[in-house]
């Protein structure tokens, strides 16, 4: 049986693969923007998201080390393309789930479904009639989040694991995070961290150091979230500013004294 895959190192992926991955991501989006005159507003907005996800998939595959491709069968490659996550190494033949990695459970899936149902349909019946509409809106939004994001992702992760693929939870109880690094690096939206690590963090860290690489990851996160604000016509700059603030928070808590203090005050 093939040994478990180890995390991709920047030394195992040629520079030309990084260049090609970035060419695909940037070129795909710019090329789609050039089609704007022939697309309606709805088609253009959702088309951007489709192109973004597609180019992320391709970039993730391009940054796999050549040796890993020997463990990719056509079926496993198809499964990765259908899976929402961007970690192709989870689909390699012989791959095992790392010790301590968050995995979905039937109990957790049902708990998330019940939480979403309670927030979306039960709470409106229990709230006082005078409850402000804004409070009702945010409670309903949390219910939708539990159902559409957390529970749905858990459901598909259970299906893929039942088929033998070592996928992990995509949302790992974010409220349990003890610091910003834990929140962003392990618990919140684990759909794209593999792609961000292989395509941005590792190659930049190799050349400019980990701090600049971390800044590049948060800056890119802000830039692609700008697409969402464009879709809802709420202007530009907010997401980028938000993720730069998050970067500052992570950078402040990274030095050893700060990590020591956070361990004592989670």
């Amino acid at each position: 049986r093939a040994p478990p895959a180890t995390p991709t190192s920047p030394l195992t992926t040629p520079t030309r693969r990084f260049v090609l991955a970035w060419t695909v991501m940037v070129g795909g989006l710019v090329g789609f923007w050039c089609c704007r005159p022939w697309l309606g507003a709805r088609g253009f907005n959702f088309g951007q998201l489709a192109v973004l996800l597609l180019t992320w998939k391709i970039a993730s595959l391009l940054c796999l080390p050549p040796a890993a491709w020997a463990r990719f069968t056509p079926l496993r490659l198809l499964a990765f393309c259908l899976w929402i996550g961007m970690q192709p190494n989870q689909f390699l033949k012989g791959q095992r789930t790392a010790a301590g990695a968050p995995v979905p459970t039937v109990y957790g899936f049902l708990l998330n479904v019940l939480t979403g149902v309670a927030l979306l349909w039960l709470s409106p019946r229990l709230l006082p009639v005078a409850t402000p509409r804004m409070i009702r809106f945010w409670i309903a939004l949390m219910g939708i989040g539990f159902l559409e994001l957390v529970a749905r992702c858990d459901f598909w992760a259970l299906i893929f694991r039942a088929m033998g693929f070592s996928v992990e939870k995509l949302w790992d109880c974010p409220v349990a995070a003890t610091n910003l690094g834990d929140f962003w690096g392990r618990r919140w939206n684990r759909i794209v961290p593999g792609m961000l690590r292989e395509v941005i963090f590792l190659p930049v860290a190799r050349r400019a150091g980990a701090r600049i690489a971390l800044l590049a990851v948060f800056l890119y996160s802000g830039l692609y979230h700008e697409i969402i604000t464009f879709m809802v016509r709420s202007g530009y700059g907010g997401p980028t500013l938000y993720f730069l603030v998050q970067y500052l928070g992570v950078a402040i808590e990274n030095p050893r004294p700060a990590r020591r203090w956070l361990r004592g005050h989670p």
Side-chain angles (χ1 to χ4, degrees):
R1 182 163 54 182
T6 56
T8 305
S9 163
L11 301 177
T12 61
T13 305
T15 301
R16 64 179 181 273
R17 288 178 176 264
F18 293 130
V19 175
L20 183 57
W22 272 100
T23 301
V24 168
M25 291 196 301
V26 176
L29 207 53
V30 172
F32 181 78
W33 288 341
C34 292
C35 300
R36 177 67 180 91
W38 297 278
L39 298 172
R42 184 180 180 87
F44 179 70
N45 287 337
F46 287 97
Q48 288 182 100
L49 294 180
V51 170
L52 201 63
L53 292 173
L54 177 61
T55 54
W56 283 350
K57 283 282 185 183
I58 296 173
S60 299
L61 289 170
L62 287 172
C63 286
L64 271 180
W69 279 95
R71 298 168 57 196
F72 244 141
T73 64
L75 178 61
R76 290 179 175 275
L77 181 59
L78 175 62
F80 168 67
C81 292
L82 295 176
W83 173 243
I84 190 174
M86 304 291 163
Q87 294 84 16
N89 59 333
Q90 295 177 355
F91 291 83
L92 299 178
K93 186 177 181 180
Q95 179 73 14
R96 302 172 187 170
T97 304
V103 295
T105 63
V106 174
Y107 169 77
F109 163 69
L110 293 177
L111 182 60
N112 288 325
V113 169
L114 293 175
T115 302
V117 169
L119 290 171
L120 192 56
W121 285 291
L122 180 60
S123 65
R125 301 177 181 275
L126 301 177
L127 290 172
V129 177
T131 302
R133 183 176 297 180
M134 183 58 68
I135 294 178
R136 293 179 179 272
F137 168 78
W138 281 105
I139 292 175
L141 189 62
M142 288 189 291
I144 292 173
F146 269 97
L147 293 174
E148 292 294 324
L149 291 177
V150 186
R152 177 180 288 188
C153 289
D154 275 359
F155 172 78
W156 285 112
L158 287 169
I159 297 296
F160 273 76
R161 289 186 67 84
M163 294 189 294
F165 305 112
S166 58
V167 299
E168 301 172 4
K169 285 179 67 70
L170 297 178
W171 305 85
D172 183 22
C173 193
V175 74
T178 56
N179 54 62
L180 285 174
D182 184 34
F183 179 84
W184 289 113
R186 178 183 170 217
R187 296 186 178 276
W188 179 261
N189 192 357
R190 304 177 75 247
I191 296 173
V192 296
M195 187 277 299
L196 294 176
R197 182 182 66 250
E198 306 296 341
V199 180
I200 300 179
F201 184 83
L202 289 178
V204 175
R206 179 183 178 186
R207 294 162 176 81
R211 181 166 296 185
I212 300 299
L214 186 65
L215 173 61
V217 168
F218 276 101
L219 181 60
Y220 181 75
S221 298
L223 292 175
Y224 76 73
H225 277 84
E226 296 283 356
I227 292 178
I228 306 299
T229 61
F230 175 83
M231 290 176 62
V232 298
R233 301 180 181 180
S234 62
Y236 299 95
T240 301
L241 177 61
Y242 171 79
F243 278 99
L244 289 178
V245 171
Q246 295 297 314
Y247 160 74
L248 290 176
V250 174
I252 289 172
E253 71 180 22
N254 267 343
R256 186 175 299 175
R259 292 201 305 269
R260 188 182 303 116
W261 186 87
L262 285 170
R263 281 196 295 268
H265 304 78

